[in-house]
Amino acid sequence: MNQDIYVVIEHLRGQVAEISFVMLAGARELAKGLGGNVVAVLLGHKAQGLAGNPSAGSGQCLAADKVLSLDHPALADFTSDAYQKVLTDLIRKDQPRAVLFGSTSIGTDLASTLSIKLGLPMVSSCCSFSADGKFVSQICGGKIMAEGDLPGPTALVTMVPGGYKAEQGQSTQSPAVTQVEVPALESLRVTLASYIEPESGDVDIAKEPILVSVGRGIQNQDNIVLAEELAQALGGAVSGSRPVIDQGWLATSRLVGKSGKHVKPKIYLALGISGAPEHAEAITDSDTIIAINTDPTAPIFNIAKYGAEIDLFDLVEVLTAQVKAAKGS
Amino acid sequence: MPERIDFWGIPFTWGSPAIYVYFLMALGSIILLVRFFQRARLWWRVGRPEVRWDRIHIRLWRLIKYAIVQVKVLRQKYPGIMHIGLAWGFFTFFLGTALATIDSHFLKILQGNAYLVYKFVLDTFTLLFLIGAGMAAYRRFIQRPRRLTLEPGFTWSLALITLIVLGGWFTESLRLAVEKPAWELWSPLGWLLAQAWIATGASAAPLMNWHLGIWIFHLLLVTLTLATLPVGTLLHILTGPLNVFFSKLDRPTGQLAPIPQTAKGEPIYASTLRDLTWKQLLDGDACTECGRCQDACPAFAAGKPLSPKQVILGVRAALRQDGRVLLNKDTKAPFLAGEKISDDVLWSCTTCGACVCECPVLIEHVDAIVDLRRYLVIEGRMDTELQGTLENLGRYGNSFGQSERMRARWTQPIQPPIKDARREPVEYLWFVGDYASYSPTLTDITVKTAEVFRKAGLDFGILYDAERNAGNDVRRVGEEGLFEMLMEKNSMALSKCTYQAIVTTDPHTYNTLKNEYPANGDERRPVLHYAELLDQLIITGKLKFSKKLGYKVTYHDPCYLGRYNGVYDAPRRVIEATGCELVEMPRHNDGSFCCGAGGGRIWMAEGEIQERPSESRIREAVKLGKVPIFVVACPKDVTMFRDAVKTTGNEQLVEVKDLIELVHAAL
Amino acid sequence: MNIVILVKLVPDLVEELTIDISGVALDTAWLRLIINEFDDHAIEQGILLKERGGGAVMVVAPDIEGIDDVLFTAAAKGADRLIKIKGNFAGVNNHALARAFTAVVKDLQPDLVLTGVQANNDLDGSVGPLLAGCLEMPYVGYISGVSLSEGKSKVRKEYPGGLIAEMDVTLPAVLGIQAAEQPPRYVAVSKVRQMMKTSTIEERTVTDLDMAGGPTIGRMFQAEAGQRATMLTGSPDEVATKLVGIFKELGVL
């Protein structure tokens, strides 16, 4: 039994996901209070390089005290069955104080089932920890927070972004990598058939400097043209939150959110977007967020720099006209 | 002595001409009856039963008003006069022939002065008819208005009847040219043409030959007309009056019929022709294709795919195509919605009722559309926005998707608090409505309404959180089950309250509370729109104004207050009482042009649109020139028209105000 | 093909949420519970699979106030069997719920178990993967497409950025639905009311609700407003002018 905090690193097609760094930062906070190490757990195939060079070009290393590499061809791409079998083995053997997973498509496929299989307690939707071993989770669309002592003997935790910045989980020093034996992986019940690329679309919203983003408040597809005109006037592009894409009013390539793109534009103009956590986490790195929403209690106002409690339909055309006038067109 | 001569100028060489006449008339009539029956039997054999023959005296009166006098046709001057000329002409000639027949065989009535009057009347109507025919020809070939179906069938009918009448005129004139009776001037039109024959210098013999020829031709034409009447465009002569006779009596316009049930108590949804009533099938055959409904339709004017005319003709086409086959009870009937009439067409309707109001033969378009919508709802075929709104209405009781607890939030700044009708008795129970309660841009009008009620010393209260959407438009969208649920909840809340009358801000709420909600207990308490209430208060002196506003205003009659419930004068008196000068828009009173929000349209995606009905209406108001205020009496109208003022760029020229705002300002 | 769908009710976020006197749970006085929207998608996906390839759809839910309406609505959409688990579910966590489901679901001999990938009040994981653990079935979450064949299924799993992974999963399996292949269909109120008359809800009872595995909440509280945005006020024109000013400051105009 040790006081180490294990972090299950999430990576997809050669790139370490940002949540991994957030988890490392959270793990560091926990580890400080407990006196243990932050151990990055890297499952994959020939993926050891990710420890020291997470994505080609960024040059950031995992801010961990050490890296455990579990290498097997069946682990090359994430599949729940294989990863579960490997982690069950590892956690049973090592019995760390806590194992952190991302509250993501990868992490949530693993944590709960492991909790049952190993008989270990779990906490989900955790956004931060305190040095005295407490967790803070957010539920109900980010409106309610729950705090408690980190359960034992080994706590399985899924983490959401927002509590730590990715930079806090990055370091310039490449941690030591230890190979760990992987159990036999046969008759796997889940196998990867293929990846399907997202529709490329005409625009990569992650590269746009200005985004005019619409949420449920846009009410119907016909009104999107108002946002398009504003975006055009400003020299940016239109994006949207999940409800808008689910209705088919905008292409999937325009989705900003947990399942869509994370964006960091100069200006993110949120029209009629409530700011639920799944969306908020994807825009917090923007330079300036401006929120327009008639609901004063909308969570978006907590992350925006400027806001107006005004009907977007009253504002957009007037704003477009003023912007055009200012540009002299 | 002046008298009618039987078969003047017709030789008896081959027997009495009466034999031929009666033979051909009998032949024509039999063919007419057989063909008509073949058509008519489809109505009751394919369609569902419905009792529409009660209160015959009212139905006969309607027959006189709409089928004989044709008051609805006369709503438009040119085609009104045109058709009166043709139709009354024909009634007269029919009567004339009947009298002639009686005169021939039973009682010699057409002699002396009676005969002279008879001739004069017939001649006058001949002239009216020919003027009508001329107007019709001009309309069909030169004017070519869009609402008409400009097809050969109609030209053929016009030609037939004109030739028949011309035949009558010509034979009369030829007789006069030969006989030159002393009373010939009692047939002025005939006399005129007779002079032309006389001028040719022809002797009696050729004139009589002409007479015989034209007489025979006339006889054959009439026979042909009779035989082809049931399959041509003249069918409306029979089906029109029938449709008027069997028109809706059992309920006011503002009340929809509940969903019909089979003997086993299962609901019947209008998916095929078999699910429509025989009267609805008759509607299809009664349509004269005049297109007035289409011209009045706001959806059609906006460029939506809906044309009420085409919906009715769609039913007719379906019956024509499939009717015969469907006589066999085992044949599966094809679907109406989606196949004969597209979903989009059905969803475009605002249920404003302008089509029903205009229709000269009293076709009930809105009922048919709602019936078909009920089927679409059961199948879940609607756009996602409407679905979301219906789910909100089901869960929260309002179309905004907000908690019931927020319904009375607008009352917070009001001191002393408005009475809670659930807790104490009130005289007027104010049913506020969704839009007035939840829409952030409208709540200040609601607050002003409360202030006006207070100033007038009214004892009023509201239901606070117990109020739900009254359900008028839920019903018109076709979600009958949800309507029943809302109605039950509201009725339950109302039954626990003590009140004398209900007053409401919203005409849609007004319509359903007044016409569709069950009576509360033993008595049905009055339901008033606030315009009616204000009118009463002003008349009885309880509401006094301290100033005269002196604005020039125009007033938009809301569909559910005006057309559906006949309340036109009360709001106008209120406007006058505030000291404003009312200038009417061309389309006012029952001709008012819908804002486009009704029938659930405000809950649906707008779709492809050329010009919004609200924009068209604002432009109509602006055209009045220097009328800066546009007065409305419905919260949805406020929203729709304020938007339209912006989108048409008329902010400097016209401002939208609710009637309450005028009253409030004049207090 | 037996398709079992697990449904639970969650707080409606339209209402204002407050904490009760204990300080560790939501106040239930004004709390409205509605179907977890992801479970709604799971029902839709289940019905779609039945419409495509036949089979029986069975919906299982805990007996909480308001559940009958949810079950009858599922029946109106095409569910074949409705099963309610009776027990004291107040304040019960997902671990206990998953265990309660386990015995019932095993009896139904499912080929496929569908449930929402998450719920807004999850604090100890989600019911789907927990149940998969109890039943020892494979689990894949964030599913937005399913097709079935003999003994296995092909699923579409969503990753960020719109990337999709197509995976083969052997049956029986548990899938966590993110979105059905089409939005949940509308069911007319009259149809649901009719189901109330014609359908029956089967009942099972569970006595022991084992919450082991969940965290102990020390304190529950409303999220703080945090750093609130600088609010711009005035008429639309005035706000627009202020925004143009901000754009100029930022060098965009």
Side-chain angles (χ1 to χ4, degrees):
Chain A
M1 231 290 268
N2 60 58
Q3 293 296 308
D4 287 346
I5 311 295
Y6 280 30
V7 174
V8 176
I9 300 296
E10 297 196 1
H11 60 95
L12 202 55
R13 301 202 295 179
Q15 287 235 348
V16 170
E18 208 167 276
I19 189 69
S20 307
F21 297 117
V22 172
M23 289 194 283
L24 287 169
R28 180 60 62 197
E29 177 128 27
L30 259 184
K32 259 192 282 186
L34 296 165
N37 292 315
V38 172
V39 179
V41 177
L42 190 59
L43 282 75
H45 186 50
K46 304 200 173 107
Q48 292 81 351
L50 293 176
N53 192 8
S55 47
S58 83
Q60 288 304 321
C61 305
L62 302 176
D65 296 315
K66 67 174 190 222
V67 175
L68 298 179
S69 164
L70 297 98
D71 194 311
H72 191 289
L75 300 175
D77 295 286
F78 172 75
T79 53
S80 55
D81 217 19
Y83 273 55
Q84 242 175 61
K85 284 197 161 99
V86 172
L87 286 170
T88 308
D89 218 48
L90 180 71
I91 298 173
R92 204 174 263 151
K93 268 194 281 199
D94 291 5
Q95 295 182 14
R97 179 63 185 85
V99 184
L100 306 188
F101 302 82
S103 183
T104 64
S105 193
I106 292 178
T108 58
D109 269 14
L110 302 168
S112 301
T113 320
L114 286 170
S115 167
I116 295 287
K117 274 192 144 160
L118 295 165
L120 294 173
M122 79 171 283
V123 183
S124 48
S125 278
C126 179
C127 51
S128 64
F129 302 102
S130 61
D132 61 345
K134 284 200 163 53
F135 69 86
V136 177
S137 287
Q138 65 183 38
I139 54 170
C140 294
K143 290 185 177 182
I144 301 289
M145 312 297 282
E147 188 190 73
D149 290 317
L150 195 70
T154 301
L156 305 176
V157 184
T158 63
M159 277 197 76
V160 295
Y164 304 97
K165 287 210 167 315
E167 292 85 66
Q168 294 170 273
Q170 294 166 345
S171 111
T172 44
Q173 273 187 306
S174 178
V177 178
T178 318
Q179 286 294 123
V180 176
E181 204 182 304
V182 174
L185 291 173
E186 283 135 21
S187 8
L188 292 171
R189 300 171 295 178
V190 180
T191 49
L192 176 73
S194 64
Y195 285 111
I196 302 174
E197 298 292 335
E199 311 147 18
S200 55
D202 44 350
V203 159
D204 183 1
I205 52 171
K207 298 206 172 87
E208 291 286 330
I210 299 175
L211 286 175
V212 176
S213 204
V214 294
R216 222 185 274 267
I218 200 74
Q219 282 172 22
N220 63 53
Q221 185 162 25
D222 307 319
N223 295 333
I224 301 223
V225 69
L226 297 170
E228 273 164 9
E229 278 166 9
L230 179 57
Q232 206 172 47
L234 284 168
V238 171
S239 58
S241 60
R242 182 106 204 184
V244 172
I245 272 71
D246 274 349
Q247 296 279 24
W249 299 341
L250 280 177
T252 347
S253 56
R254 304 291 181 121
L255 174 61
V256 174
K258 184 183 182 130
S259 314
K261 300 219 170 110
H262 280 225
V263 295
K264 320 175 194 208
K266 233 177 161 185
I267 298 180
Y268 188 82
L269 183 55
L271 304 174
I273 295 179
S274 63
E278 294 79 36
H279 188 82
E281 72 182 55
I283 64 173
T284 41
D285 291 325
S286 314
D287 284 353
T288 309
I289 300 174
I290 304 173
I292 310 291
N293 199 309
T294 50
D295 176 9
T297 66
I300 189 102
F301 290 122
N302 298 335
I303 55 171
K305 195 155 174 196
Y306 299 101
E309 200 187 311
I310 186 178
D311 190 337
L312 73 94
F313 293 113
D314 287 334
L315 177 67
V316 173
E317 285 169 304
V318 172
L319 181 58
T320 310
Q322 284 200 23
V323 166
K324 281 189 184 158
K327 278 196 162 171
S329 56
Chain B
M1 185 188 64
E3 67 167 356
R4 187 185 157 274
I5 299 166
D6 254 1
F7 299 116
W8 178 95
I10 312 299
F12 278 60
T13 340
W14 299 284
S16 164
I19 300 175
Y20 298 95
V21 172
Y22 291 128
F23 172 71
L24 283 172
M25 290 299 98
L27 182 66
S29 304
I30 290 171
I31 297 177
L32 182 150
L33 284 170
V34 167
R35 280 178 144 179
F36 183 71
F37 179 74
Q38 280 180 327
R39 177 63 138 274
R41 73 177 166 158
L42 292 178
W43 307 329
W44 61 79
R45 299 254 315 251
V46 175
R48 280 188 304 109
E50 191 183 356
V51 172
R52 290 252 186 156
W53 38 82
D54 53 315
R55 285 173 281 177
I56 302 248
H57 56 288
I58 301 183
R59 296 184 181 281
L60 285 173
W61 172 243
R62 281 193 178 180
L63 203 59
I64 295 174
K65 194 171 161 189
Y66 298 112
I68 312 276
V69 178
Q70 302 190 357
V71 299
K72 283 221 183 175
V73 184
L74 284 166
R75 278 166 72 98
Q76 290 181 19
K77 288 216 177 58
Y78 185 96
I81 294 174
M82 171 197 98
H83 193 262
I84 294 302
L86 296 170
W88 288 2
F90 241 79
F91 294 148
T92 317
F93 301 141
F94 186 79
L95 265 177
T97 313
L99 284 173
T101 313
I102 296 175
D103 182 80
S104 238
H105 297 285
F106 303 108
L107 190 62
K108 259 222 153 306
I109 34 175
L110 295 175
Q111 51 191 12
N113 286 337
Y115 179 65
L116 297 177
V117 171
Y118 171 80
K119 289 311 296 175
F120 188 71
V121 168
L122 283 180
D123 251 34
T124 313
F125 275 93
T126 304
L127 179 62
L128 286 175
F129 179 95
L130 290 172
I131 292 174
M135 289 173 83
Y138 180 76
R139 191 162 174 75
R140 199 156 275 278
F141 297 111
I142 314 278
Q143 263 186 358
R144 303 178 76 85
R146 213 179 139 203
R147 64 171 171 81
L148 295 181
T149 313
L150 297 171
E151 274 171 11
F154 291 93
T155 314
W156 170 249
S157 296
L158 181 61
L160 260 184
I161 57 179
T162 309
L163 283 174
I164 290 174
V165 173
L166 284 176
W169 182 29
F170 276 35
T171 49
E172 181 197 54
S173 63
L174 283 164
R175 174 173 58 80
L176 291 178
V178 170
E179 287 286 309
K180 301 193 191 64
W183 50 85
E184 58 184 357
L185 285 172
W186 282 89
S187 313
L189 204 62
W191 177 84
L192 265 176
L193 188 54
Q195 306 316 299
W197 302 131
I198 294 166
T200 64
S203 65
L207 289 178
M208 290 191 64
N209 282 339
W210 275 103
H211 177 269
L212 178 63
I214 293 175
W215 186 92
I216 294 174
F217 186 55
H218 174 99
L219 179 61
L220 291 173
L221 275 182
V222 174
T223 313
L224 180 65
T225 306
L226 285 175
T228 57
L229 193 141
V231 299
T233 61
L234 291 174
L235 176 61
H236 75 273
I237 296 179
L238 295 173
T239 53
L242 275 177
N243 209 44
V244 169
F245 186 79
F246 291 119
S247 54
K248 186 164 61 173
L249 258 191
D250 60 332
R251 45 195 163 93
T253 336
Q255 183 189 73
L256 287 176
I259 295 195
Q261 292 185 337
T262 63
K264 286 185 244 165
E266 284 152 11
I268 301 173
Y269 297 106
S271 55
T272 69
L273 283 173
R274 289 202 206 280
D275 307 310
L276 298 178
T277 66
W278 65 262
K279 172 63 177 63
Q280 285 174 314
L281 298 178
L282 167 56
D283 269 349
D285 278 332
C287 177
T288 63
E289 303 193 42
C290 75
R292 288 175 185 216
C293 52
Q294 181 177 289
D295 258 8
C297 177
F300 186 79
K304 302 290 294 168
L306 168 66
S307 155
K309 172 176 165 181
Q310 294 308 326
V311 171
I312 299 302
L313 291 180
V315 171
R316 183 170 84 182
L319 190 61
R320 271 195 200 164
Q321 189 177 17
D322 302 325
R324 272 274 168 69
V325 179
L326 291 177
L327 285 175
N328 177 354
K329 294 245 177 263
D330 298 321
T331 316
K332 198 162 178 330
F335 289 115
L336 283 171
E339 294 184 26
K340 314 274 181 174
I341 300 169
S342 83
D343 285 22
D344 208 17
V345 164
L346 294 170
W347 288 122
S348 300
C349 179
T350 69
T351 70
C352 74
C355 50
V356 176
C357 185
E358 286 295 321
C359 184
V361 291
L362 274 60
I363 292 174
E364 297 149 19
H365 316 68
V366 175
D367 287 331
I369 290 174
V370 173
D371 278 342
L372 290 165
R373 279 181 171 186
R374 285 169 172 172
Y375 172 68
L376 293 181
V377 167
I378 285 296
E379 294 292 301
R381 275 155 61 174
M382 60 183 82
D383 73 26
T384 46
E385 276 184 59
L386 178 59
Q387 177 172 336
T389 311
L390 289 176
E391 284 166 357
N392 281 337
L393 282 160
R395 185 175 283 166
Y396 306 108
N398 66 77
S399 57
F400 288 79
Q402 291 183 32
S403 166
E404 306 96 354
R405 293 197 279 152
M406 298 287 117
R407 186 175 275 271
R409 193 163 57 155
W410 64 271
T411 62
Q412 274 167 12
I414 298 181
Q415 287 304 325
I418 297 182
K419 267 186 173 184
D420 190 334
R422 299 171 294 181
R423 309 237 163 91
E424 41 183 322
V426 293
E427 195 186 343
Y428 290 98
L429 192 145
W430 180 18
F431 200 104
V432 186
D434 274 9
Y435 267 78
S437 304
Y438 284 103
S439 175
T441 45
L442 296 173
T443 46
D444 67 82
I445 295 180
T446 320
V447 168
K448 284 193 180 134
T449 312
E451 286 170 12
V452 170
F453 286 170
R454 280 245 156 97
K455 264 281 175 67
L458 274 188
D459 175 21
F460 70 98
I462 65 175
L463 286 170
Y464 281 87
D465 299 349
E467 188 186 292
R468 299 281 179 277
N469 184 302
N472 188 69
D473 283 38
V474 171
R475 200 168 198 210
R476 270 109 193 113
V477 155
E479 233 293 21
E480 191 74 2
L482 180 56
F483 168 72
E484 277 170 16
M485 192 174 91
L486 291 167
M487 185 168 73
E488 279 160 19
K489 289 199 174 139
N490 280 322
S491 297
M492 174 81 75
L494 287 170
S495 68
K496 299 200 184 116
C497 302
T498 313
Y499 58 94
Q500 305 302 315
I502 295 179
V503 64
T504 173
T505 342
D506 187 324
H508 291 239
T509 312
Y510 173 73
N511 182 68
T512 193
L513 285 178
K514 183 169 172 186
N515 297 313
E516 298 180 322
Y517 272 53
N520 188 0
D522 302 318
E523 272 176 52
R524 181 166 271 281
R525 292 189 190 69
V527 176
L528 298 166
H529 182 263
Y530 75 75
E532 293 179 295
L533 179 60
L534 290 173
D535 183 45
Q536 277 175 18
L537 294 173
I538 293 170
I539 291 175
T540 56
K542 292 215 186 91
L543 187 65
K544 290 192 172 45
F545 296 122
S546 66
K547 45 177 145 30
K548 296 264 170 209
L549 296 176
Y551 304 137
K552 253 194 170 170
V553 309
T554 186
Y555 173 68
H556 167 83
D557 290 281
C559 303
Y560 277 94
L561 189 61
R563 241 191 314 274
Y564 274 100
N565 289 289
V567 178
Y568 302 111
D569 298 326
R572 285 176 168 78
R573 284 194 291 261
V574 173
I575 289 175
E576 207 188 346
T578 62
C580 290
E581 185 195 330
L582 176 64
V583 181
E584 297 281 10
M585 286 183 279
R587 297 178 290 192
H588 66 279
N589 278 25
D590 63 5
S592 179
F593 191 69
C594 176
C595 73
R601 288 293 311 158
I602 205 169
W603 301 331
M604 301 182 209
E606 205 173 35
E608 291 271 323
I609 211 162
Q610 283 161 19
E611 186 198 32
R612 296 192 180 96
S614 52
E615 291 172 348
S616 163
R617 192 63 160 150
I618 290 293
R619 293 200 174 100
E620 187 181 352
V622 166
K623 265 206 208 113
L624 293 173
K626 300 238 174 69
V627 179
I629 312 243
F630 186 94
V631 181
V632 296
C634 167
K636 292 189 269 292
D637 276 340
V638 174
T639 312
M640 297 299 286
F641 289 124
R642 281 196 179 153
D643 278 350
V645 165
K646 271 186 244 170
T647 53
T648 55
N650 281 313
E651 290 102 319
Q652 306 304 325
L653 293 173
V654 69
E655 197 190 340
V656 176
K657 279 197 184 301
D658 191 289
L659 185 60
I660 272 289
E661 292 182 281
L662 286 185
V663 170
H664 190 265
L667 281 178
Chain C
M1 185 64 74
N2 282 348
I3 303 172
V4 172
I5 305 181
L6 307 175
V7 169
K8 77 169 196 177
L9 301 184
V10 297
D12 186 352
L13 301 182
V14 155
E15 301 286 355
E16 206 189 311
L17 302 171
T18 50
I19 316 294
D20 74 7
I21 9 173
S22 72
V24 295
L26 289 173
D27 189 4
T28 52
W30 290 112
L31 197 64
R32 186 206 309 271
L33 292 173
I34 55 174
I35 185 175
N36 174 15
E37 68 170 291
F38 296 103
D39 290 341
D40 206 15
H41 278 259
I43 293 176
E44 181 67 29
Q45 186 65 53
I47 303 289
L48 285 172
L49 288 170
K50 172 185 164 175
E51 285 173 350
R52 267 187 241 149
V57 170
M58 298 163 269
V59 181
V60 185
D63 184 15
I64 301 176
E65 192 187 325
I67 198 63
D68 283 10
D69 198 68
V70 169
L71 289 171
F72 286 124
T73 307
K77 292 186 185 181
D80 299 287
R81 283 171 68 184
L82 313 168
I83 299 154
K84 195 159 68 164
I85 306 184
K86 297 197 82 110
N88 184 7
F89 286 99
V92 143
N93 65 19
N94 283 337
H95 278 70
L97 194 54
R99 291 182 184 116
F101 277 136
T102 304
V104 175
V105 172
K106 253 203 204 130
D107 264 345
L108 298 172
Q109 298 175 314
D111 296 292
L112 186 66
V113 179
L114 301 177
T115 188
V117 66
Q118 64 194 29
N120 70 25
N121 63 355
D122 287 342
L123 255 181
D124 62 326
S126 305
V127 172
L130 288 169
L131 180 73
C134 297
L135 293 170
E136 298 193 9
M137 288 186 193
Y139 172 79
V140 185
Y142 285 82
I143 302 299
S144 59
V146 184
S147 60
L148 300 173
S149 52
E150 201 52 53
K152 55 185 188 153
S153 61
K154 210 178 202 71
V155 304
R156 294 184 148 210
K157 181 180 171 68
E158 285 193 355
Y159 282 121
L163 178 69
I164 306 241
E166 246 190 2
M167 298 200 175
D168 291 308
V169 186
T170 60
L171 299 179
V174 179
L175 300 178
I177 302 295
Q178 165 77 21
E181 286 162 48
Q182 71 187 33
R185 61 197 64 189
Y186 184 75
V187 182
V189 170
S190 53
K191 260 190 165 178
V192 179
R193 287 187 153 186
Q194 192 164 21
M195 285 296 138
M196 288 182 181
K197 291 185 216 153
T198 56
S199 314
T200 39
I201 301 180
E202 303 166 45
E203 291 180 2
R204 302 271 196 282
T205 320
V206 146
T207 40
D208 187 28
L209 289 167
D210 180 7
M211 300 229 280
T216 312
I217 309 296
R219 174 171 89 103
M220 201 177 264
F221 52 98
Q222 286 172 312
E224 275 122 36
Q227 183 81 9
R228 203 164 158 76
T230 310
M231 297 304 279
L232 309 170
T233 53
S235 70
D237 253 319
E238 289 163 356
V239 171
T241 313
K242 288 181 189 172
L243 284 173
V244 168
I246 294 171
F247 292 150
K248 285 193 176 140
E249 254 176 54
L250 294 170
V252 162
L253 278 185

